[in-house]
Amino acid sequence: MSRQPVPLLARSVLCILLSGCAAGGIRTSVEGGLSPRHFHFHDVVTKKDDNEPGGWRAACLEVGIERNNTGELFYCKFGVEMPIKNTRQGEIPIDRARSIAASCANQAAKTTLSTVTPATPIGIACEEFKTLYHLTLKNIIDGARVTKRCREAIPPVRLTPPRP
């Protein structure tokens, strides 16, 4: 399991939960970002025939989300699965898969986490993120999906919030 500094999810919730407007309302903002290097894809099913769509790759991430006014830390764990080749997009190179996975994750996190309030349980925000991430990713790559659980054989990449 590799440990890397956490980008978007942990930092976003920190920022969102602690940023208040002068008028007493809640101002939300999202900063940071998951990068393609965080998506360590592993082939789980290989192509049977180069002329036909097929094959899958999967990654697993555990992104730490910290509420820094209480120190509460929650790891949002999810799987990302991509076809190696499909009918609509053809061959999907690993670098493209990583880039699209990161871009869609950041878009979903920004949308989801911008609505988080101090009363929102972090686990609920995580589940909402996974749902929107799945919808976003599958609209870009036919057959791609975000799973609530990782494939057993895929080691998670754990991203931990930086400590001050």
Side-chain angles (χ1 to χ4, degrees), residues 58-117:
C60 179
L61 285 85
E62 290 181 343
V63 180
I65 303 173
E66 183 177 28
R67 194 184 305 257
N68 82 353
N69 62 338
T70 65
E72 175 188 4
L73 179 63
F74 179 86
Y75 281 92
C76 184
K77 186 174 183 177
F78 55 95
V80 179
E81 298 186 358
M82 290 268 205
I84 293 171
K85 183 177 183 180
N86 65 23
T87 303
R88 190 172 115 205
Q89 283 97 9
E91 187 83 23
I92 302 166
I94 190 76
D95 289 343
R96 184 164 182 250
R98 287 179 177 139
S99 178
I100 290 169
S103 178
C104 290
N106 291 329
Q107 181 180 344
K110 183 174 183 177
T111 301
T112 303
L113 298 177
S114 67
T115 64
V116 169
T117 70

Side-chain angles (χ1 to χ4, degrees), residues 125-147:
C126 169
E127 292 304 314
E128 290 174 357
F129 158 75
K130 289 188 271 190
T131 298
L132 184 57
Y133 183 21
H134 172 75
L135 293 171
T136 304
L137 187 61
K138 78 175 191 159
N139 282 327
I140 302 297
I141 300 289
D142 284 352
R145 59 185 170 244
V146 175
T147 59

